[in-house]
Amino acid sequence: MGVSRTRRTGPITLLLLGLSAGVTGVLAWLLGPDSAIARIGVVGGVLGPPGLWLAWASYRDRDDRADNADLTVEQVADQIAVAVHDQWTAEAELRRLNDPHALPVRWQPADPGLVQDWASLVRLATDRGAGWPSPPPAGIWAAGPAGLTGLAGSDNELIEALDRVPTGRLVVLGEPGAGKTILLVRLVLALLARRGPAEPVPVLVPLASWNPTGQHLYDWLETRLIADHPGLGDPAPGPGRLSRGRALLNAGLIVAVLDGLDEIPETVRGGAIDRINQALQPGQRLVLAARSRPYQAAVRPAGGIEVRLTGAAGVELCPLDAAAITDYLHASAGGPAAAARWDPVLATLTASPPPPVAQALTTPLMTTLARAIYNPRPNEQLTAVPRRPLELLNPGLFPTRSAVEEHLFDAFIPAAYRPHPDPARRCPWPAADAERWLVFLARHLDHNLHGTPDLAWWQLPTAVSPHRRWLPGLAVGLAVGLTGGLAGGLGLGLGLTVGLGLTVGLAAGWGEGAPAREIRWRLSVSDLTVGLTAGLAGGLGLGLWLGLGLWLELVVGLTVGLAAGLDGLTATPADLTAAAGPRSIFVQDRATFRSFVLADGLTVGLTAGLLAGLTVGLTAGLTTRLTAGLTAGLLAGLTVGLLGGLLKTAWGSFAVARAWLAMRGRLPRELMAFLADAHEHRGVLRQVGTVYQFRHVELQRRLANR
């Protein structure tokens, strides 16, 4: 997300604005060149486009450097480290990673055939000619892959395994739900805890949105960095006008922790590893996580060319053992009575062969789901928990491991939304409604054009079918246009209905766009000068056509000049020490939308309306024509402002799509509040930068296939 949308919106803006002005002008001309209403309609319809165009062009091209633009790239890294630390500390608390304690996930060396041999790693890391830094003191590196074995929650955390790899590059493998992402979060926090000034910043980034066939790794990482930290989109000091995000990458001040190689299309996974190899610089550390089987298929494709992550060792997560599962479920039960309910199930964990429930509970995901379903929450009575763990031993209901896992996914949503005894923590939505809405969102993600598990609020318009996407916006535009038009008379009402309805409706139905940063007002002398020049030139031709000569030339010139000068909007400086989140960018984008409507509605509308009213009032009753001119100008300004907001922000199209889907019962009216609650209080969603994701992609797929 940058300060504004991509530059291709310029022709679209001109096209829609031209359509609006043209329709208004033709309708007014048909009423007669000598009609005051016709003159007002033409003035209102034609004066708005230049004002918005100049404001948009100046806003697009302005160098919106933040107040702290003189920071060095090392100082930027130090501030971003604060943001990353706060972001993942908060997320770790919401995910209850240490409540009651961290699940003791173990790992062992990965299959040697999936990684480079140890001797090659040592040889690469000690090759001074290749640009690698000097080796650390003796005894830091492991003697071989066996030295990477470790256990989460002990002195041998994943950060210790990473330190023992000569190259500082590590592949983390595991089965679905094995705890890879949680370990990566812990790794990022551990790396930040010991980071010194001007040292690299670890950044956890999901790979699902990367297209390795069309994007260089650094190009994609730059985009993700700017999305999560908008201040990184500002220019970095020095030549080349690189963004701060790209400058951090080029300076080696980012340690990429890449999660979910298996979530990009299967056909490009091997190519993705090759693209990562091409991007890596000597001495650059990297962590890559993936599911074991998809990674094996990518590295050793049947009948294809094998590929390895250059200079990387590997570990693979192990299933939870019986002691770890027992300790966790007992400790989180909230008392002896609740803990005792688990005893029949836990007794089967060491059985041979293990029953389906014992097989399912060997992953942290399934164990934590079972906890949420069968254990009471804080301050909740055991009698309020409707299900008992004993049902998991029923072979008729759960004959296989898959059946147990599907049951845990299905029972989790009702458990997350069951009424809480504390009114402050009680969910405002019925469980049945919440589940229906979550199913809709899961299906939206499963079938959307982006093909990622990222639930981005600004992409909600794609949840409306393409052949219906235009209808909500068109209805809103026509309603607003008709209401305002009737206030100005039948002729003006018809013109405004068509002009406003078409422009706003088509723009709202155009689809999704990236959110904008919050903007602020400023007087732009340069824009004022350009606006006066352009307005006077355009006004001369328009005045001669209407037979109004110098008066209309002055009206247009002053109007466009004032609109361009007063409508000088610039992005507010971003706080580098605070990471962006779904709610924060939603609030900023909505405020930007309102600023556009207000800025253009007042500057274009008031100025055009007042001057048009005065001009026409010279030949007719001044008060009546002044009122008519103001009405026409304000309504034209509203059209321009709405159109600018729709094209420059994501909130307008989002609001229209949300209202449409809520009216049909697909989503709640207060969608953002619902998503925040699902993340912060229910544990159904997780937050990754500026987007939400379902707690686990398997939960999303289960809901989508209901």
Side-chain angles (χ1 to χ4, degrees):
M1 281 180 312
V3 174
S4 62
R5 289 172 181 254
T6 58
R7 295 186 178 230
R8 68 172 180 270
T9 56
I12 297 173
T13 305
L14 288 178
L15 176 62
L16 294 177
L17 288 172
L19 176 62
S20 176
V23 171
T24 304
V26 169
L27 289 174
W29 178 78
L30 291 175
L31 294 174
D34 296 327
S35 168
I37 292 296
R39 294 173 182 174
I40 295 172
V42 171
V43 171
V46 178
L47 292 186
L52 179 64
W53 166 247
L54 288 174
W56 181 87
S58 63
Y59 173 69
R60 177 196 67 181
D61 295 329
R62 184 174 292 124
D63 183 6
D64 289 320
R65 299 184 69 124
D67 292 344
N68 52 8
D70 57 345
L71 293 177
T72 66
V73 68
E74 291 80 12
Q75 291 171 325
V76 170
D78 291 341
Q79 293 197 21
I80 291 299
V82 175
V84 175
H85 174 271
D86 293 347
Q87 170 191 6
W88 289 113
T89 298
E91 190 65 17
E93 292 176 358
L94 289 174
R95 298 190 191 187
R96 303 173 70 181
L97 298 190
N98 299 308
D99 180 19
H101 58 258
L103 270 168
V105 177
R106 298 180 181 274
W107 56 85
Q108 61 187 14
D111 179 352
L114 303 180
V115 294
Q116 287 196 296
D117 65 273
W118 198 263
S120 297
L121 303 186
V122 174
R123 185 166 54 251
L124 181 63
T126 54
D127 185 356
R128 301 280 71 75
W132 287 78
S134 300
I140 299 296
W141 292 347
L148 304 182
T149 302
L151 172 67
S154 69
D155 293 335
N156 190 10
E157 279 277 7
L158 192 61
I159 189 174
E160 304 298 331
L162 182 62
D163 287 340
R164 294 171 184 169
V165 179
T167 55
R169 297 176 184 173
L170 185 66
V171 176
V172 180
L173 304 175
E175 295 304 314
K180 297 182 293 297
T181 300
I182 299 301
L183 277 181
L184 295 185
V185 172
R186 295 169 63 90
L187 173 63
V188 166
L189 291 175
L191 288 170
L192 287 169
R194 74 176 190 189
R195 176 186 178 273
E199 291 185 353
V201 182
V203 178
L204 174 56
V205 188
L207 277 167
S209 63
W210 182 33
N211 176 17
T213 61
Q215 287 178 296
H216 188 276
L217 178 66
Y218 274 18
D219 292 340
W220 170 76
L221 280 174
E222 178 186 10
T223 302
R224 288 302 308 238
L225 286 171
I226 294 173
D228 295 345
H229 309 276
L232 294 183
D234 293 329
R241 293 190 57 80
L242 296 176
S243 71
R244 287 169 164 174
R246 190 54 174 254
L248 287 175
L249 289 166
N250 290 351
L253 289 173
I254 295 294
V255 177
V257 181
L258 307 176
D259 188 20
L261 180 73
D262 51 279
E263 293 180 4
I264 65 176
E266 179 180 359
T267 54
V268 298
R269 289 173 193 159
I273 298 174
D274 183 59
R275 295 300 296 271
I276 294 173
N277 288 338
Q278 295 174 25
L280 288 176
Q281 301 299 316
Q284 185 174 0
R285 307 178 83 186
L286 178 83
V287 178
L288 174 66
R291 297 185 182 186
S292 301
R293 292 181 182 176
Y295 190 79
Q296 179 177 353
V299 169
R300 295 187 296 197
I305 300 176
E306 296 189 1
V307 61
R308 304 283 188 279
L309 186 62
T310 301
V315 296
E316 185 168 17
L317 307 189
C318 305
L320 293 175
D321 58 35
I325 300 170
T326 300
D327 290 346
Y328 184 79
L329 292 175
H330 275 167
S332 62
R341 303 196 316 164
W342 282 104
D343 290 343
V345 174
L346 299 177
T348 69
L349 297 180
T350 56
S352 182
V357 63
Q359 300 172 37
L361 292 179
T362 56
T363 66
L365 173 63
M366 291 301 153
T367 297
T368 54
L369 291 181
R371 167 197 176 173
I373 296 166
Y374 296 106
N375 281 349
R377 294 166 293 187
N379 302 321
E380 186 178 35
Q381 297 295 321
L382 184 58
T383 54
V385 183
R387 292 183 175 275
R388 298 178 62 85
L390 189 63
E391 68 180 356
L392 295 172
L393 295 176
N394 188 330
L397 294 176
F398 312 115
T400 64
R401 173 177 179 171
S402 296
V404 175
E405 293 174 344
E406 291 171 359
H407 162 71
L408 293 177
F409 280 134
D410 292 342
F412 171 63
I413 301 299
Y417 285 91
R418 70 176 178 246
H420 198 282
D422 183 358
R425 303 181 63 181
R426 195 164 296 161
C427 181
W429 300 280
D433 289 344
E435 188 165 10
R436 184 178 74 254
W437 297 330
L438 290 168
V439 166
F440 176 81
L441 290 172
R443 290 174 179 170
H444 162 57
L445 292 180
D446 221 35
H447 301 97
N448 70 5
L449 299 177
H450 303 276
T452 77
D454 294 346
L455 181 55
W457 61 263
W458 58 91
Q459 294 172 356
L460 185 67
T462 62
V464 180
S465 57
H467 66 282
R468 295 179 178 175
R469 196 172 299 166
W470 311 91
L471 298 178
L474 191 58
V476 172
L478 290 175
V480 174
L482 183 59
T483 302
L486 291 177
L490 180 59
L492 183 60
L494 180 60
L496 284 172
T497 297
V498 175
L500 180 57
L502 286 177
T503 55
V504 175
L506 294 179
W510 206 266
E512 91 262 29
R517 275 166 59 176
E518 190 172 0
I519 59 177
R520 61 184 178 186
W521 294 60
R522 79 174 186 183
L523 176 63
S524 172
V525 177
S526 61
D527 292 344
L528 180 62
T529 303
V530 174
L532 285 171
T533 303
L536 290 172
L540 177 61
L542 183 61
L544 292 175
W545 175 63
L546 291 177
L548 296 178
L550 181 62
W551 270 108
L552 193 58
E553 178 184 350
L554 293 175
V555 168
V556 174
L558 289 173
T559 300
V560 174
L562 288 173
L566 293 176
D567 208 14
L569 302 174
T570 182
T572 55
D575 182 3
L576 292 173
T577 63
R583 287 287 298 176
S584 66
I585 63 170
F586 175 83
V587 171
Q588 290 178 3
D589 189 73
R590 182 177 59 187
T592 302
F593 178 89
R594 292 172 177 172
S595 295
F596 268 104
V597 175
L598 180 63
D600 287 304
L602 289 180
T603 58
V604 176
L606 273 180
T607 310
L610 180 61
L611 293 177
L614 287 173
T615 301
V616 179
L618 293 175
T619 59
L622 179 59
T623 303
T624 301
R625 297 312 181 189
L626 180 59
T627 302
L630 283 172
T631 302
L634 286 174
L635 290 173
L638 175 63
T639 304
V640 172
L642 284 173
L643 186 58
L646 287 166
L647 292 175
K648 293 289 290 185
T649 70
W651 184 83
S653 297
F654 163 82
V656 172
R658 178 192 59 187
W660 175 263
L661 294 170
M663 182 178 65
R664 304 187 66 196
R666 303 291 180 84
L667 291 175
R669 285 187 57 204
E670 298 297 327
L671 177 59
M672 296 304 295
F674 174 75
L675 296 178
D677 177 82
H679 167 233
E680 297 170 7
H681 301 298
R682 313 299 151 200
V684 176
L685 301 179
R686 62 188 182 188
Q687 181 179 319
V688 182
T690 57
V691 300
Y692 291 115
Q693 294 178 345
F694 277 88
R695 176 177 181 147
H696 196 276
V697 69
E698 294 299 331
L699 173 62
Q700 172 195 320
R701 291 169 181 164
R702 178 66 180 172
L703 289 171
N705 291 322
R706 290 282 184 89

